[in-house]
Amino acid sequence: MEVILSASLIKIVTSIIMASESKTAQANAQVLPLIASLTRSETGKLVAVLTRIFGAHNLALAEDVVQDVLIKAIEQWPVSGIPDNPAGWLFTVARNKAIDTIRKYRRQRTFAADISSLLESEYTAAFTLNTCFSDEEIQDDQLRMMFACCHPGIGREGQIALIMKTLCGFSISQIAKAFITNTDTIEKRLYRARQAFRENNISLDIPSGPTLQKRLDNVLETIYLLFNEAYSASFHESLIRKDLAEDTIRLCTLLAENTATKLPQTGALLALLCFHTSRLSGRTDEHGDLLLMKDQHRALWDKQMIERGVWYLANSATGDAMSRYHLEAAIAYEHCKAASYADTDWHTILSYYDLLVKLMPSQVILLNRAIVIKELEGPARALECIRQIPGIDFLQEYYLLHAILGELNMEIGETKNAAVHYEKALKLSVSEAEKRFLIKKLNHLATLEAH
């Protein structure tokens, strides 16, 4: 697992290692990867429950307390040893620090409005915090935090960055790589998002009535965009970011298991995530190089994850609503259920794309539809369909457009056009795995030209 900690934690880690003798240094070798793992798996829960206690306007304070907890673990565990229940240790320390924080700021800050009065006395504060740190409350707090992060008063990029930071435990440098930008930009986005919490008086509540539908659509869209990053992993050496994929499934599962948010589109999105995740292990070879679906070893696909997706898709087929997630999940399922690439039911997939185009026409969906046309009517017809896409020039900076055009031109023997598009795709791609794939294509074209 990649160990990525914040700047303040790195300083502490460095000082500990320099001051330690060999035994302590060996302990650090165990402690640091464990804390990195816990940072990813537990800090989202910690931030959510502390924000619930302190109030959304004190989000920065909640994050500071979580960082203090992690620092204490880094300081103590190499000396005293790793506790039997490391995650439980973090939550116990967080609860105690929350009590200390409330004592310290009781006269200077306001906390969560609905429990503020219960934090006034020592007895009721301790009882209230114990309740807040129960497993059921922690799960609900993550759900509330999701809706708060996706408040319409926060910009889309800020929403995604905030969820990655607060609920998924990603460092600012990791988020910066995800957005292909620098850490200063992410710091500013997170600052504006936290400011929006205060200015919009955002509460940690699950909306109801018509507001729920609108806000849920926003939450689902954010999870969908997060998963797209996990699936393409443009910012990582590997094409696959399994940790981020698992995070999106975890967040969507929270929605699918809650009575208020257990709606058809939620189950459909979760099904889609399951189907795509099931194929992650087959997307690259042993060297980390990209494999097209036709070249993947389907025995590597996760059958249990596919079955899970089937269950969610079946249970999402209620009522009259048909969302984009239903159609995209149905397309993904057709790929998953085919015993081989040759067995793929392209006619059915095309029918789903036709419905998807009617529901939400976009250049990307029409481009994907053209790939299906290639399988049914050949590459020349697919090229014609791409040329007919309204506003296709909008995708000129989209590397996949040129990668697809390169492939189609190569298949009809237009090797010079193919090389031009592969070169453009290579310049636009930011993934090392994708770049290696495109270079192989260009080398293959050069071999063809030589003969």
Side-chain angles (χ1 to χ4, degrees), residues 39-75:
T39 297
R40 288 281 297 107
S41 64
E42 304 302 325
T43 55
K45 301 172 188 176
L46 288 168
V47 170
V49 68
L50 289 170
T51 304
R52 168 76 181 93
I53 294 165
F54 297 155
H57 56 289
N58 287 318
L59 172 60
L61 178 62
E63 292 178 321
D64 288 343
V65 170
V66 172
Q67 176 139 311
D68 287 344
V69 171
L70 293 172
I71 289 173
K72 189 170 184 178
I74 292 174
E75 289 176 332

Side-chain angles (χ1 to χ4, degrees), residues 46 49-50 53-54 65 69 88-102 125-134:
L46 288 168
V49 68
L50 289 170
I53 294 165
F54 297 155
V65 170
V69 171
W89 186 96
L90 294 178
F91 278 89
T92 298
V93 173
R95 183 193 61 203
N96 293 338
K97 281 190 173 291
I99 293 174
D100 292 340
T101 301
I102 290 166
F127 177 80
T128 301
L129 263 62
N130 284 337
T131 302
C132 289
F133 274 88
S134 67

Side-chain angles (χ1 to χ4, degrees), residues 60-294:
L61 178 62
E63 292 178 321
D64 288 343
V65 170
V66 172
Q67 176 139 311
D68 287 344
V69 171
L70 293 172
I71 289 173
K72 189 170 184 178
I74 292 174
E75 289 176 332
Q76 290 191 7
W77 291 2
V79 178
S80 60
I82 296 171
D84 293 335
N85 181 0
W89 186 96
L90 294 178
F91 278 89
T92 298
V93 173
R95 183 193 61 203
N96 293 338
K97 281 190 173 291
I99 293 174
D100 292 340
T101 301
I102 290 166
R103 286 172 181 159
K104 181 178 179 181
Y105 294 112
R106 183 176 287 145
R107 305 303 176 198
Q108 300 144 277
R109 290 178 182 259
T110 58
F111 297 108
D114 60 331
I115 63 172
S116 185
S117 61
L118 297 173
L119 302 177
E120 291 295 327
S121 74
E122 292 292 322
Y123 173 76
T124 56
F127 177 80
T128 301
L129 263 62
N130 284 337
T131 302
C132 289
F133 274 88
S134 67
D135 290 340
E136 185 177 348
E137 281 297 312
I138 290 170
Q139 181 166 311
D140 287 344
D141 287 340
Q142 291 180 86
L143 200 62
R144 296 185 188 106
M145 193 69 184
M146 246 189 288
F147 276 92
C149 289
C150 295
H151 189 278
I154 303 172
R156 172 64 73 189
E157 289 180 335
Q159 291 175 7
I160 296 174
L162 202 56
I163 282 185
M164 291 182 74
K165 181 72 169 63
T166 61
L167 285 173
C168 299
F170 281 96
S171 68
I172 289 175
S173 63
Q174 287 174 312
I175 300 170
K177 290 177 183 177
F179 284 102
I180 318 172
T181 187
N182 55 57
T183 55
D184 286 343
T185 298
I186 298 304
E187 288 276 18
K188 289 175 182 176
R189 288 179 188 174
L190 289 170
Y191 174 79
R192 287 194 293 269
R194 295 184 185 105
Q195 192 174 33
F197 265 67
R198 296 189 296 271
E199 293 176 352
N200 291 279
N201 196 24
I202 296 173
S203 62
L204 292 187
D205 296 312
I206 299 174
S208 59
T211 306
L212 172 63
Q213 181 66 64
K214 185 176 180 180
R215 289 281 294 281
L216 179 60
D217 289 343
N218 207 23
V219 172
L220 295 178
E221 177 70 13
T222 302
I223 292 174
Y224 180 80
L225 292 173
L226 271 173
F227 186 84
N228 282 345
E229 185 53 52
Y231 205 63
S232 65
S234 58
F235 62 97
H236 198 262
E237 288 184 4
S238 168
L239 190 71
I240 298 164
R241 278 306 295 264
K242 194 169 183 291
D243 49 1
L244 185 51
E246 289 173 349
D247 275 330
T248 58
I249 288 179
R250 176 178 62 83
L251 295 176
C252 201
T253 301
L254 288 174
L255 294 167
E257 292 178 348
N258 183 275
T259 304
T261 56
K262 188 180 180 180
L263 299 178
Q265 62 268 39
T266 305
L269 175 58
L270 186 50
L272 174 63
L273 303 185
C274 289
F275 291 142
H276 282 325
T277 300
S278 72
R279 306 201 305 265
L280 284 177
S281 297
R283 293 194 71 215
T284 56
D285 62 18
E286 63 273 17
H287 305 296
D289 290 335
L290 175 63
L291 292 174
L292 296 178
M293 191 179 292
K294 63 182 179 181

